[in-house]
Amino acid sequence: MRPLPDPATAPARPSRARQLRRWLLRVLWIAVLIVAGGAFWNSRWAAVPRAMWEISRLPAPTALPVPVDGVRARQVADTFGAPRGADRTHAGVDIFAARGTAVRSATRGIVTDVREGGLGGRQVWIQGPAMERYYYAHLDDWREGLERGEVVDAGTLLGYVGDTGNAKGTPPHLHWGIYGADGAYDPLPLLRAWAARPALSPTP
């Protein structure tokens, strides 16, 4: 038979008032953390994580505008998959325009890279809807102030048509590619789908 505890040595149970104070203190701390987290999430410091969360939940587009000012979808040749050298194929489309023509983001997204080098020369990478990556290459120059981490909307100016990288000496153009989960895919059907949309009726 187990001996009964000695009342003189047994720990005293906290009073109800003390238990209530502890419970209220925990609730207060939880409320403070929730308010602080909400304030941070809605601040400018969280603009990129907020945009990344929003973009990751968007579906992949089924139609997109031509990202070069003044160019129509019917003017873009179907060159996706065409041979390029001995061991490459064309992983995008070439959109020809006069040097210096504005190049704009086709989607909302986040600038993940702004760099010069390799085949693409001056280039911009955008993380877009469904976490697909958009590649804008051979730029003559970038828009002043463009930098990694910038949140852009569809239509935001990224740079200007050029012939940098391995396009040097060819007619100025934008090489535009889209990379999904399985790699590059043909963006031309998206441009044509955008062009085929019914015109908006004028507002009465």
Side-chain angles (χ1 to χ4, degrees):
M1 190 171 175
R2 294 180 61 186
L4 295 173
D6 185 353
T9 59
R13 293 186 61 187
S15 67
R16 288 186 179 276
R18 193 170 182 181
Q19 287 179 328
L20 180 60
R21 282 197 301 271
R22 286 180 179 175
W23 182 82
L24 289 173
L25 189 59
R26 289 194 188 103
V27 170
L28 178 62
W29 272 113
I30 292 170
V32 167
L33 290 174
I34 290 172
V35 171
F40 173 76
W41 185 250
N42 291 301
S43 72
R44 64 187 183 89
W45 305 107
V48 172
R50 209 166 51 238
M52 186 67 78
W53 170 250
E54 171 203 333
I55 289 163
S56 69
R57 299 176 68 193
L58 293 174
T62 56
L64 288 172
V66 177
V68 177
D69 279 5
V71 179
R72 298 176 182 271
R74 56 183 168 77
Q75 297 173 277
V76 181
D78 185 3
T79 58
F80 183 84
R84 289 291 188 269
D87 57 353
R88 293 188 300 111
T89 57
H90 199 216
V93 292
D94 291 333
I95 304 174
F96 291 88
R99 183 184 305 278
T101 302
V103 173
R104 302 182 184 278
S105 181
T107 64
R108 180 165 170 77
I110 298 170
V111 178
T112 57
D113 207 358
V114 178
R115 69 172 184 258
E116 182 172 9
L119 301 177
R122 291 177 179 164
Q123 57 196 265
V124 177
W125 287 86
I126 303 285
Q127 191 90 52
M131 302 305 285
E132 293 185 332
R133 295 178 301 137
Y134 292 76
Y135 179 50
Y136 301 79
H138 304 320
L139 300 176
D140 190 56
D141 206 349
W142 304 278
R143 184 252 296 158
E144 185 176 355
L146 186 71
E147 60 184 6
R148 292 179 186 175
E150 181 177 337
V151 179
V152 298
D153 290 314
T156 297
L157 179 64
L158 301 177
Y160 309 93
V161 169
D163 66 347
T164 56
N166 71 340
K168 196 68 178 174
T170 66
H173 64 278
L174 171 73
H175 171 89
W176 188 53
I178 305 177
Y179 293 79
D182 299 321
Y185 65 88
D186 190 357
L188 186 55
L190 302 183
L191 303 182
R192 290 175 173 170
W194 183 274
R197 296 181 315 157
L200 296 177
S201 301
T203 304

